[in-house]
Amino acid sequence: MNIMDFNVKKLAADAGTFLSRAVQFTEEKLGQAEKTELDAHLENLLSKAECTKIWTEKIMKQTEVLLQPNPNARIEEFVYEKLDRKAPSRVNNPELLGQYMIDAGTEFGPGTAYGNALIKCGETQKRIGTADRELIQTSALNFLTPLRNFIEGDYKTIAKERKLLQNKRLDLDAAKTRLKKAKAAETRSSSEQELRITQSEFDRQAEITRLLLEGISSTHAHHLRCLNDFVEAQMTYYAQCYQYMLDLQKQLGSFPSNYLSNNNQTSGTPLPSTLSNVVGSSAMASTSGLVITSASSVSDLKESSGSRKARVLYDYDAANSTELSLLADEVITVFSVIGMDSDWLMGERGNQKGRVPITYLELLN
C-alpha cells in the first residue's frame, strides 16, 4: 500500500467519523437519540472553568481600560505586543499637563504669585505622571499578564480537551445506537466491540479533562495573589498622589477671593492717587482646614491708616532683590504702596524691606 492509498483511506475514515458524529448530534437535538450525561462532578468543573474564563476576560479588559483610557493607545500597545516589539514611550496626560503649567508659569514669571503656583502645580503633576506610569507597569506585570496567560494558555488547553471529550461522547452514543439497531449476530458482535473501544476512549478522555479542570482551583489561588499585588500597587499609587498633593497644598497656601476677582484686571494698573500708604485689619475664614482671606480684608487694608502685623502662612523665597523672603509662622509688618500690584504688599522685618505676596499672609487684627 503506497502513501497515497493510505491517505485516501484515512480521509474516508475521518469523513465517516465526522458524518456519524453529525448524525448523532442532530438526532440528540431532535430528541430522537439518547445522550450520555457527564457525571455531576465533571459538569460542575466545566461550569466553574467557563465562569472563570468569562469573568477573567471581563476583569482583564476593564483593568486595561482603567490603566489606559485611550483606546487608540491600547490598540497600538496590542499591535506592538503581537509583533514582540517594545512600544515607544509616550508622555501621559498628567505629565503633559504638568509641562504646560511649568511653561505657562515660566512665561508669566516665577516671581508672580500665579506663575509661581503654576510651576509648583506643574512639577507635582509630572510626579503624578511618573507614579501613574509605575502603576501601569507594575499592574501589567503582576496582574494583567497572569490573567492573559490563563486565557491564552491554560483555558485554550481546557477548551481543546473539552471539545475532544464531546467528540468521544458522540462516538460512544453513536456506537450505542448502532448496537441497538444491529440484528445479525456478526453485526452485533462487531458493534459490541466498537462500543467497548469507544467507552474506553471516552472514559480516558473524561479523566484527562477532569484532571485539567481540577487545576482551576490552583488558578484561583494564583489569581488571588495577583489581585493582592494589584491592590498593593494601587495603594502605593494613591498614597504617593495624596502625599504629592498634600505637599503642594502646603507650598501654595490659600488664594483669597479678591485675587480671583482681580484676574481680569491689568496688573500694571496704578491705585487711585487719593489712597495713602496704609494697612487695615483683616478678616479670616477657615474652610476644610484652609485659611482663606476674605475680599473685604484687603479692601479694609487699603482704606485704613498705619501699618499692620501679618503672620506668614508658608515659606517664600524672594525671586529678586525687590522681594522679601518669608518663613512660615513669623510675624512681619506690612503696608500698601501706591501703584503696587494688587496681589502684593510691602513687608518689613527689622531693617529688611521688600514686596511680599498676599496669598502667603494672614493679616492680624
Side-chain angles (χ1 to χ4, degrees):
M1 181 187 296
N2 57 37
I3 296 177
M4 183 174 294
D5 291 338
F6 175 79
N7 289 337
V8 170
K9 288 186 176 182
K10 187 176 185 303
L11 288 173
D14 290 344
T17 301
F18 176 79
L19 180 61
S20 174
R21 291 170 180 171
V23 170
Q24 177 66 27
F25 182 80
T26 302
E27 289 180 350
E28 287 177 359
K29 290 296 182 182
L30 296 174
Q32 298 174 355
E34 295 182 2
K35 174 182 177 181
T36 299
E37 299 294 340
L38 302 177
D39 65 79
H41 177 59
L42 187 56
E43 286 284 7
N44 288 336
L45 290 176
L46 287 168
S47 177
K48 184 177 181 180
E50 182 67 19
C51 183
T52 301
K53 179 251 186 182
I54 292 173
W55 285 110
T56 299
E57 282 184 330
K58 289 184 177 181
I59 292 172
M60 183 178 69
K61 290 179 180 179
Q62 193 57 40
T63 303
E64 291 173 343
V65 172
L66 173 69
L67 297 176
Q68 177 50 269
N70 187 339
N72 294 328
R74 291 201 303 274
I75 292 173
E76 181 183 359
E77 291 170 359
F78 175 79
V79 171
Y80 274 99
E81 181 182 347
K82 291 302 179 183
L83 295 175
D84 197 21
R85 293 174 57 186
K86 184 178 180 181
S89 178
R90 63 171 73 243
V91 178
N92 58 32
N93 290 330
E95 289 174 331
L96 185 59
L97 174 60
Q99 191 58 54
Y100 285 166
M101 286 182 168
I102 291 173
D103 292 345
T106 301
E107 186 165 344
F108 294 151
T112 65
Y114 185 42
N116 184 268
L118 277 172
I119 292 174
K120 291 183 184 298
C121 287
E123 291 170 348
T124 299
Q125 289 296 330
K126 295 187 79 170
R127 284 195 288 270
I128 290 175
T130 301
D132 187 69
R133 194 182 300 278
E134 292 173 354
L135 171 65
I136 292 174
Q137 292 173 349
T138 303
S139 300
L141 179 64
N142 297 336
F143 187 59
L144 288 177
T145 298
L147 298 188
R148 187 175 292 109
N149 288 342
F150 167 73
I151 295 297
E152 298 179 355
D154 295 349
Y155 188 79
K156 279 190 175 181
T157 301
I158 290 174
K160 177 182 176 182
E161 296 300 331
R162 181 178 183 175
K163 182 178 180 181
L164 190 55
L165 176 64
Q166 170 74 352
N167 290 337
K168 295 299 182 183
R169 186 198 61 76
L170 289 171
D171 292 342
L172 173 62
D173 289 335
K176 290 179 179 179
T177 301
R178 281 192 290 272
L179 178 60
K180 287 181 179 180
K181 294 180 179 179
K183 295 180 179 180
E186 183 178 347
T187 305
R188 188 170 184 80
S189 176
S190 174
S191 297
E192 288 175 348
Q193 177 67 18
E194 181 188 12
L195 178 59
R196 284 193 294 271
I197 294 174
T198 54
Q199 181 70 60
S200 175
E201 291 180 346
F202 171 76
D203 292 341
R204 178 176 176 275
Q205 185 57 39
E207 181 64 16
I208 292 173
T209 306
R210 182 185 64 78
L211 291 173
L212 280 173
L213 291 171
E214 287 178 346
I216 290 294
S217 296
S218 298
T219 298
H220 284 192
H222 178 51
H223 287 182
L224 175 59
R225 292 192 294 272
C226 296
L227 181 62
N228 285 332
D229 291 339
F230 179 54
V231 171
E232 185 175 344
Q234 284 187 303
M235 181 183 69
T236 300
Y237 168 72
Y238 289 119
Q240 285 178 322
C241 292
Y242 174 76
Q243 188 59 51
Y244 292 154
M245 299 311 296
L246 197 63
D247 294 341
L248 177 62
Q249 185 187 54
K250 291 179 180 178
Q251 293 179 54
L252 290 181
S254 57
F255 290 86
S257 56
N258 75 293
Y259 172 77
L260 299 176
S261 65
N262 285 338
N263 279 347
N264 294 328
Q265 300 177 8
T266 303
S267 59
T269 303
L271 296 173
S273 57
T274 54
L275 288 178
S276 58
N277 298 344
V278 293
V279 175
S281 61
S282 66
M284 302 301 296
S286 178
T287 305
S288 301
L290 293 178
V291 180
I292 304 174
T293 305
S294 67
S296 62
S297 65
V298 177
S299 176
D300 293 343
L301 177 135
K302 300 294 184 181
E303 296 172 359
S304 62
S305 58
S307 60
R308 304 295 292 183
K309 295 293 184 180
R311 183 174 68 86
V312 178
L313 298 174
Y314 305 99
D315 292 348
Y316 176 74
D317 295 326
N320 52 54
S321 58
T322 66
E323 297 179 7
L324 180 65
S325 295
L326 304 173
L327 295 175
D329 294 325
E330 71 171 325
V331 176
I332 63 172
T333 302
V334 293
F335 53 91
S336 63
V337 175
I338 295 176
M340 181 178 289
D341 190 307
S342 59
D343 302 325
W344 296 76
L345 292 173
M346 186 61 70
E348 188 175 285
R349 184 202 305 114
N351 296 328
Q352 296 178 318
K353 185 184 297 185
R355 297 192 310 151
V356 293
I358 292 177
T359 55
Y360 283 68
L361 302 175
E362 175 187 356
L363 300 178
L364 303 177
N365 292 327

